[in-house]
Amino acid sequence: MNRQLIRSYILLVAVAIFLFTVPVAFTLTKQLRDDTELSVLREAKTMALLLGNGDGLSCDALTRVAKAYGAETPGDVQVTPTGSCAPDVPQPAADAALTRAVEQNKQSTDWGSDVIWGKHLTITVPAQGDAAVRIVYSTSDMTTRLWSIWGFRAALAVLVLAAAAAIGAFAARRITAPLRELNSMASKFSDGDLTARSPVTGPPETQTLARTLNQGAERLDTLVASQRIFVADASHQLRTPLTALRLSLDNIADGVDDEFVREDVEQATAEVMRMSRLVNGLLVLARAEAKVTAAEPLSLREIVDERLTVWRPAADERGVTIALGGSTDGRPFVLAGPGHLDQVLDNVLSNALEVSPDGGTITVEVEQRGDEVVLSVLDEGPGMSDTDKSRAFDRFWRGRGLTGKTGSGLGLAVVKQLVTDDGGTVTLGDAPGGGLRVTISLRASSRSGG
């Protein structure tokens, strides 16, 4: 917007300069041309009167005047001789203008060009006795003055436009300052900072907009705070009875000898555990959708190393190897909410371990690509069909792993929500040699790791 305002201001000043300066320059050019023509014509007529007198004194005077004029001005005098006067002055070459002057008694003016003027101004004036006086006036001095007229105004126009650009830039920044404040507030909002407010400054329109946005931000902050309280309360109220129920079922299983009862209790325990995972997933998803945390620079390599350390014991029980590959020499920092990447990696690694065959390998790769950092998790499971990939991020869609267990159907939905909130993307593809490749692209932070 600043550039548009500056361009508009400069264009307005340029139009004003054109409308006021160019006509003045043309007027001065015309005045220079008319004054020069009038001066040369007056001198030519004076010499024609001397030539027309025909006496010796006038002829001598004409010779002196013609030579003096040639010496003091850029003009050369040419005269046709008469019977009684043959001055020591060059004679003009015969042409149409000279013929009109001698035979028709008509003066003529030739500027040598249809555009402003040529190299010479030629004025031919008739005299008595079928004679004529011609002055060939060089326009070099006029051309120099013409360049001075236009050059001065061009330089002045450039200076005025430069001043206009500087003033326009200052004015544009003053005008758009309230809008930049509003944009800064909106950027903080998009990063999850709901405490951001915009100062009420600028013209009445931006003040009204700032007040409206601030009021909306207050209401949104209140609603999010209420949702945060609800999530905390729901977490406590739901997890506590589920934990108690699981403990009760464990006690029942330990106290019965009937195989059928024990089997029923184990099934009930499995369902309680699945319900616990489902509740945990819903709570995580609710927190992610609330966007109560702002993105901050985090070391992706440190988070990956930490989560792999946590998951390797579970993988070792299945004989599954978790390997770290890719371009991992550096320690890139990414922009993400605190705890988001931990949950993302836990969900992706849990799914990968679920589908991996015994003795398989899960590969985690980290690679920096320009302003993005790409985190990939590859497994050697059965992979997914294109139809399953299109539905994998839907809530409560569940695939079956090689262990026969089923998840809550919220793992990848949580991954997508958290990654999207952090300004990244997540996609599913085929791993080389079979299996699934989960590719997570995250925003790189300007901060760098050692």
Side-chain angles (χ1 to χ4, degrees):
M1 186 174 181
N2 283 351
R3 293 181 180 178
Q4 292 179 346
L5 289 174
I6 295 172
R7 284 197 294 265
S8 300
Y9 190 71
I10 293 177
L11 179 61
L12 180 62
V13 174
V15 171
I17 292 175
F18 179 83
L19 292 178
F20 288 99
T21 302
V22 174
V24 171
F26 274 112
T27 300
L28 292 176
T29 302
K30 184 177 185 303
Q31 183 178 356
L32 174 62
R33 175 175 167 141
D34 292 344
D35 289 348
T36 302
E37 180 178 346
L38 181 62
S39 174
V40 175
L41 182 61
R42 182 172 58 248
E43 297 293 339
K45 287 183 176 180
T46 299
M47 297 179 196
L49 290 175
L50 293 174
L51 179 63
N53 288 337
D55 56 71
L57 292 177
S58 297
C59 190
D60 293 339
L62 173 60
T63 301
R64 291 194 298 270
V65 169
K67 290 182 177 180
Y69 186 81
E72 297 178 4
T73 70
D76 294 327
V77 180
Q78 301 174 1
V79 177
T80 59
T82 62
S84 58
C85 180
D88 186 15
V89 178
Q91 296 186 18
D95 55 20
L98 186 63
T99 301
R100 284 195 302 271
V102 173
E103 297 180 359
Q104 302 177 16
N105 200 33
K106 291 182 179 181
Q107 68 182 32
S108 60
T109 301
D110 182 11
W111 281 97
S113 174
D114 295 332
V115 180
I116 306 180
W117 54 66
K119 292 183 178 181
H120 297 91
L121 165 64
T122 303
I123 292 182
T124 305
V125 177
Q128 292 182 2
D130 295 333
V133 174
R134 170 175 289 175
I135 296 180
V136 180
Y137 191 89
S138 174
T139 60
S140 58
D141 291 344
M142 294 177 61
T143 302
T144 302
R145 292 182 61 185
L146 177 69
W147 280 109
S148 298
I149 292 172
W150 285 92
F152 172 76
R153 278 152 184 80
L156 182 62
V158 171
L159 292 177
V160 171
L161 288 176
I167 296 172
F170 175 76
R173 290 189 63 83
R174 287 288 302 272
I175 293 172
T176 59
L179 297 179
R180 290 196 300 273
E181 294 288 350
L182 292 172
N183 182 66
S184 176
M185 173 187 172
S187 298
K188 293 178 181 178
F189 254 57
S190 66
D191 290 334
D193 183 6
L194 302 183
T195 63
R197 299 292 183 270
S198 174
V200 182
T201 57
E205 294 81 3
T206 56
Q207 291 184 17
T208 301
L209 179 59
R211 291 192 190 97
T212 302
L213 289 178
N214 288 339
Q215 292 171 1
E218 291 285 351
R219 179 168 177 79
L220 182 60
D221 195 13
T222 301
L223 292 174
V224 170
S226 300
Q227 185 176 9
R228 189 182 299 116
I229 295 173
F230 165 76
V231 169
D233 291 344
S235 175
H236 176 73
Q237 296 296 329
L238 292 175
R239 285 175 176 172
T240 300
L242 286 173
T243 302
L245 180 57
R246 180 181 175 184
L247 291 174
S248 298
L249 290 172
D250 289 341
N251 290 334
I252 292 173
D254 293 338
V256 297
D257 296 329
D258 191 317
E259 187 67 27
F260 294 103
V261 175
R262 184 184 296 275
E263 184 178 346
D264 290 339
V265 171
E266 289 178 354
Q267 290 180 355
T269 301
E271 289 300 318
V272 170
M273 293 179 64
R274 192 174 72 83
M275 186 177 295
S276 297
R277 291 196 299 270
L278 182 61
V279 169
N280 290 335
L282 287 173
L283 293 176
V284 170
L285 196 57
R287 291 192 186 99
E289 290 176 341
K291 286 192 72 174
V292 297
T293 57
E296 61 184 47
L298 298 173
S299 174
L300 180 59
R301 179 63 182 274
E302 291 181 3
I303 295 174
V304 169
D305 290 342
E306 177 187 345
R307 301 323 298 167
L308 294 188
T309 300
V310 171
W311 280 94
R312 278 197 174 100
D316 292 340
E317 292 182 1
R318 296 266 315 281
V320 176
T321 301
I322 299 181
L324 185 60
S327 303
T328 56
D329 294 337
R331 293 184 175 271
F333 277 72
V334 296
L335 292 174
H340 285 190
L341 294 180
D342 301 68
Q343 297 179 47
V344 167
L345 276 168
D346 286 346
N347 282 290
V348 175
L349 290 173
S350 176
N351 289 343
L353 186 59
E354 183 68 28
V355 300
S356 293
D358 294 343
T361 300
I362 298 174
T363 304
V364 179
E365 298 178 349
V366 178
E367 182 180 0
Q368 178 131 17
R369 299 176 184 174
D371 57 355
E372 287 186 341
V373 178
V374 178
L375 171 65
S376 303
V377 178
L378 300 84
D379 61 56
E380 296 178 350
M384 285 187 183
S385 64
D386 292 339
T387 302
D388 287 346
K389 290 175 188 173
S390 65
R391 298 182 55 197
F393 295 112
D394 296 342
R395 298 181 186 183
F396 305 110
W397 181 86
R398 294 182 293 178
R400 182 173 295 275
L402 296 183
T403 62
K405 300 177 182 178
T406 56
S408 64
L410 291 174
L412 287 178
V414 169
V415 169
K416 184 176 181 64
Q417 184 68 52
L418 292 174
V419 172
T420 302
D421 288 345
D422 291 334
T425 59
V426 55
T427 57
L428 301 179
D430 296 328
L436 185 68
R437 180 189 189 105
V438 181
T439 303
I440 300 169
S441 298
L442 301 166
R443 292 181 297 164
S445 171
S446 57
R447 176 181 174 185
S448 59

